[in-house]
Structures are given as structure tokens and as C-alpha cells.
Amino acid sequence: MTDPRHGGIAVLDFGSQYTQLIARRVREQNVYAEVFPFDAPPEKVNLHQPRGYILSGGPNSIYEEGAPQLPKWLLQRDEHEPILGICYGMQALTHALGGVVAASTAREYGPAQITRTQPTLLLDHLPEALQVWMSHGDRIETPPVGFVGLATSDNSPYAAMGDPSRRLYGVQFHPEVAHTPKGAELLHNFLFKICGCEAHWSPAAFIEDSIQTLRQQIGDERVLLALSGGVDSAVAGALLQQAIGHQLTAVFVNTGLLRKDEPEQVVRVFRDEQGMNLVAVDATETFLEELNGVTEPETKRKLIGKLFIDTFSEQARQLAEDGVKFLAQGTIYPDVIESAASSKVSKTIKSHHNVGGLPPDLKFALVEPLRDLFKDEVRKVGSALGLPDSIVWRQPFPGPGLAVRCLGDITWERLETLREADAIFTEELGKAGLLRQGTSQAFAVLLPVKSVGVMGDNRTYEEVIALRAVTTDDFMTADWSRLPYDLLARVSNRIVNEVRGVNRVTYDVTSKPPGTIEWE
């Protein structure tokens, strides 16, 4: 089978906050896209034989000292695949080819209208006037030789330009964002009418290719997987199970900080239904004893991380002695991008957040079967592998578990209170059809404060539950979900009546930024 990654698009990152979104939008059209730092070596960028290149936006001005420039190799190739420059990428392309970029008399940030000035494949079958999203301070003053203007805006004489003979194009706006309504159609034109891509990036193709790759990489050796019950590790486990079967052993650590019925569900789905070799370790007492009296959020996180590594390492060491050679992780593509710091304009946002920090004597080779996938693609692969919706569509969950949603002291009683309230919220969202659409993440938080209430003829003095629901495309920014009032009323009424120790429910209406999605 042909590698489904071949013949896709290479995205060169010049520092835009939207770079990942470009790759997502390409993949939504069943074409593989991979993100590289703008200064990545050509042999790495061209490994999967891309049919075209997209240059991302970026925060710099092209003439600033140290501003990222177009790599020279991109214009010195024997075979000239098409290039689409977006915003700063357009300016970098212009500068490299001898055109002139200048500061705009009026910066354009936000919605704008462009008008097509002549026919072009890039804007084929699109309206003459288009609503787009601008975000730039510089503009193209003089295009390179061979380029013609394709569209204008009030402040940009070259809102789009191109050299059709060399298949080089640039747009001053961002087609990848939702605020450019016809952006997907523009990208479709570039992918299929200009680059000649084929739509063969699909869950089925990925699974077939991955199974072959995993079997070649692993051979007859055994693999250890840390199974959290979350979507990423679950799908990684299902894929490995299909590829190597009994050679896989999964270790599931119950920290006591999971959601209602989660430990039982993990065992039932993966051991009983999937037939996986699963080692389930109940470390609840150990975690609760160590967390007793710990209230500072960062201390909680570090303590839980260390305890998890210690518990997992104990099992891993036994399996290593039995001949296990590989460690599998549910690393996905945003982790890979965010962990890369090879580009001069990229910053390391976070290190891999899976099973890092294992003792140095445990020298496993790493297997990351999902490292090419975005979260939505992981879910599609999980469904194609036959995992139940309860696993595939599970809400995002922090590594430290309920410890970061149970503010203040961590006790079994308070965790049980939080579990029950969270389960009610999730259940009602599910009934209302708002778990997949309408919310990206939703959960309950138990606050370490008490309020006065009245139940029956008695005054009460009990704890407070805060409900949190957000909508987001990328979890880098998020807005609070405008849930129906009657739904919130129903959830509040059920929690106060059914959950012991709670007499007040609030709803968090803070966006990110300035807040974060989690409370701790």
C-alpha cells in the first residue's frame, strides 16, 4: 500500500498562532499535511514527497533584524511544486523573489472584504467579493516579477496575488480560520486544482499503514502501554492490539482521582471486550495518603506525577525483566509540534506529557502510533477500530485527575462528592445532545468554601459546586458555553438534591484568556 502521508502538503511555520489550524484544514479535505519549522532541513520537509507547500503567517515584519526568511532551497528545487504564502508567508515569498513589502498606512486586524480582480484557479468558483479575516501591519507594495494582483481590499492592493506559470500564490488574509467563511474552498482549490493532491488521507488508510509500520518496527518483541483510559492512550492501545495482539501488555493505574465508574469501565472495555493483556493496579490508598493535607495546586501536580511514575515504574521494571523492549505512548501531533523547539521562531510550549521521567535503568524503545494525528482524527480512528463512543468521545481530562478540580483538601469523601456532581452534569449534557456539539469540555469543580442554605426547615452550611463548560477549536483559547438556562437549572436542582454535602451550584462564565479552562 502507498503511504497515505505521501503526496500531501508541507506547512512551513513562521510563528503563526494559526499554523496547526492550517494543517487541520488541509487534513479535513483528506489530504495529509505536516508542520515543519521554517528552517527545517529540506530532506526532513520532503521526506513524504509533498505535492505543495504552504507558508504560515507570523508575528514579525520581514525587514526586522532576525526575522525568519524563506529558505533558499525552496526556490532552488529541480521540481517546482506549488507554494501558497499566507500573510507573513506571502511577504516572505515576495521579499525572497525581489518584491517590495512596506508598512501599511492602516493596519488590518479582523474582518475585511476583498474583491477579485481577475480569474484565477486559487479563487475559482468563489464569489467576486469575499469576507475574510485579516491580521497584518505590512502589505505588498510591489509584487515580484511575474506576479499579478488577484484581489484587493481597502488597505491592501495585493490582498491576493499569483504567478500562475510558476504556480506561486500569496494571500494577505487567513483562509484557515473560521472567520474566513470561504477559506476551505480556497484551500480546496490550491490542494486539488493547483497541487494535484489526491484525497487518500483517511482513518482506514491510516490504520492499514500503521499496522504494517508497527509490525515492522516491533517484530516479535513485546510492548508496554500506559493506559490512562483517556482517548489518546485508548486509541493507541486499540491500534497496537490489532497490530501485535498478545505482544502488548497495558498497565492501568487507578489513582483514586478518576471520574465516576471510570476504573471499572477501562477494565471492562479493554480486558473483557478488547481482549487486551491488562494489568490493573489500584493505588488509591497510596495516593490519598500522600495527598492528605496538600492544598497547593503545583505541589499536588508534582506529587501526583511522582507517585504515578513510581507506581508505573514498579510494574514496568517487572515487565522489562520479562523481556518487554518497547514503551508505547499516546503522543498526538499537537504534542509533537508544541514540543519542538528547533525553529528560531518557535517556543517550547510543553514537553511530552505522557510517561516521561522513568528511571534511567528502564531503557525502552519508544512507540508512538498516533504521533501524526490531531485529536479529531484520533477519535475517527478510534471509532474505525471499534471502540465504544463512551471511550472515543470521552471528555478531555487532566493528568492529575480530579485533584485539580477538587480545590483544597483531597479526601475520599470530597472526591466522591465531586464525582457524583460531575456525573450528573455529564449525564444531563448528554441527554441534551451537548457533549459532542455545543461544548468542547465540561466538568464540575468542588470549591473549598461553604455557603449557607436552607433545606426543608433547616439551615445548612455546605460546599459549593462550580460548573464549567467551554467551546474551542484548539484549546489554546476558549469561550464559555452558552448553555440553556433550563438545563443549568435542572443540573443545579439535581446536584443539590442528590449529592450530599452540596447546597449551592454556580456556573463559570470566564473565557480563556484571561482564565484557564481548568481551575488549578
Coordinates of all heavy atoms in Angstrom, one line a residue, residues 26 85 146 148 204 248 264 349 354 377 423 435:
V26 N -6.3 21.4 6.0 CA -5.9 20.5 4.8 C -6.3 19.1 5.1 O -6.9 18.4 4.2 CB -4.4 20.6 4.6 CG1 -3.9 19.6 3.6 CG2 -4.0 22.0 4.2
G85 N 1.7 31.3 0.1 CA 2.1 32.1 1.2 C 0.9 32.7 1.9 O 0.1 33.4 1.2
G146 N 6.6 38.8 -12.6 CA 5.8 37.6 -13.0 C 4.5 37.5 -12.2 O 3.6 36.7 -12.6
V148 N 0.9 38.8 -10.6 CA -0.2 39.7 -10.9 C -1.1 39.8 -9.7 O -1.2 38.8 -8.9 CB -1.0 39.3 -12.1 CG1 -0.2 39.4 -13.4 CG2 -1.6 37.9 -12.0
A204 N -9.2 4.7 7.7 CA -8.9 3.4 7.2 C -7.5 3.3 6.6 O -6.8 2.3 6.9 CB -10.0 3.0 6.1
L248 N 1.3 -7.2 23.3 CA 1.0 -5.9 24.0 C 0.6 -6.2 25.5 O -0.3 -7.0 25.7 CB 0.0 -5.1 23.3 CG -0.5 -3.8 24.0 CD1 0.6 -2.8 24.1 CD2 -1.8 -3.3 23.3
E264 N -13.7 1.0 36.5 CA -14.4 -0.3 36.1 C -14.6 -0.3 34.5 O -14.5 -1.4 33.9 CB -15.7 -0.3 36.8 CG -15.6 -0.5 38.3 CD -15.4 0.9 39.0 OE1 -15.4 1.9 38.3 OE2 -15.2 0.9 40.2
I349 N 6.3 24.9 24.1 CA 5.1 25.2 24.9 C 5.0 24.2 26.0 O 4.7 24.5 27.2 CB 3.8 25.2 24.1 CG1 3.9 26.3 23.0 CG2 2.6 25.4 24.9 CD1 2.8 26.3 22.0
N354 N 3.3 12.4 28.5 CA 2.9 11.1 28.8 C 3.8 10.5 29.9 O 3.9 11.0 30.9 CB 2.9 10.3 27.5 CG 1.9 10.8 26.5 OD1 0.7 10.8 26.7 ND2 2.4 11.3 25.3
E377 N -8.9 13.5 14.6 CA -8.5 12.3 13.8 C -8.4 11.1 14.7 O -8.7 9.9 14.3 CB -7.2 12.6 13.0 CG -7.3 13.7 12.0 CD -6.0 14.0 11.3 OE1 -5.0 14.2 12.1 OE2 -6.0 14.2 10.1
A423 N -20.9 13.6 37.3 CA -21.6 12.6 36.6 C -23.0 13.1 36.2 O -23.5 12.9 35.1 CB -21.7 11.3 37.4
L435 N -22.8 17.1 24.4 CA -21.5 16.6 24.7 C -20.6 16.6 23.5 O -19.3 16.8 23.7 CB -21.6 15.2 25.3 CG -21.8 15.1 26.8 CD1 -21.9 13.6 27.2 CD2 -20.8 15.8 27.6

